Amino acid sequence: MTAPPEGAAAVFGSALEGAQVFAGMLATRGVEHGLIGPHEVPRLWDRHLMNCAVVAELIDRQPATLVDIGSGAGLPGIVLAMLRPELTVILLEPMERRCRFLADCVTELGLANASVLRVRAQDAVLRADIATARAVAPLDRLAELAVGLVRPGGMVLAIKGQTAAAELKKARPVLKRIGARSAEVVRAGQGKVVPAATVVRFFARLGRT
């Protein structure tokens, strides 16, 4: 049920064993806590784990702080923490039961570089280098939340799938108002996962002018 598909080893590398443990947690406790629907279990790897893992290729390989907004089941935050130990990952989540699940994942997976912060995104006091989000809010709303959580010039990666282009078009006025730069739809994992992960990437304004 949670066995990795062909191609998972190439995507996860040395993190594959941890990813298998995480998949097992999602398929059991994740379903019990209502974080993953039972119908999602057969496609945990293709639709969720692999889709999140390839987003790592959009992040430079250097120490940085990453905040995963509305982390929920830890997608993509837990996956990125496993793949990129040089990142300091903050799993931002307001709901207590989700925070408990995330804390269990961090402990059982031995993720010394990840921590859970129970707070709403709009109330958090953070200045991360990178913000990620998946299935949190429409891009026009998410963009305003995200720019408040990254440093000037920080990068935002919103995993959006098929709605990416339409959401980006709708969000253009908001992105312009908040000074977001270089907003575009990018694809991660081409040739590794099908379909490739579709992400809206933009950067916060560099500072006051």
Side-chain angles (χ1 to χ4, degrees), residues 42-53:
R43 47 189 186 177
L44 267 178
W45 284 95
D46 293 334
R47 182 165 178 159
H48 300 287
L49 296 169
M50 301 272 279
N51 181 260
C52 290

Side-chain angles (χ1 to χ4, degrees), residues 80-189:
L80 294 175
M82 286 192 291
L83 281 167
R84 302 294 290 273
E86 76 277 10
L87 295 175
T88 298
V89 177
I90 301 164
L91 305 167
L92 196 67
E93 172 56 51
M95 294 184 63
E96 184 180 0
R97 63 183 171 84
R98 293 178 178 177
C99 285
R100 287 199 302 266
F101 175 79
L102 291 169
D104 287 346
C105 291
V106 168
T107 299
E108 293 178 35
L109 294 168
L111 297 175
N113 63 327
S115 60
V116 182
L117 180 59
R118 186 187 174 196
V119 67
R120 297 190 308 163
Q122 54 266 49
D123 297 329
V125 182
L126 289 173
R127 281 296 178 266
D129 300 300
I130 304 156
T132 56
R134 184 176 189 258
V136 172
L139 185 63
D140 51 355
R141 283 173 40 211
L142 175 64
E144 294 198 87
L145 292 174
V147 295
L149 297 171
V150 294
R151 61 168 173 76
M155 180 171 66
V156 178
L157 299 172
I159 305 173
K160 283 295 179 182
Q162 294 180 343
T163 65
E167 288 197 46
L168 178 55
K169 183 178 180 181
K170 181 182 177 183
R172 287 286 184 192
V174 173
L175 292 167
K176 183 178 180 180
R177 175 168 55 78
I178 62 179
R181 300 177 299 114
S182 306
E184 61 180 336
V185 175
V186 295
R187 287 175 174 80

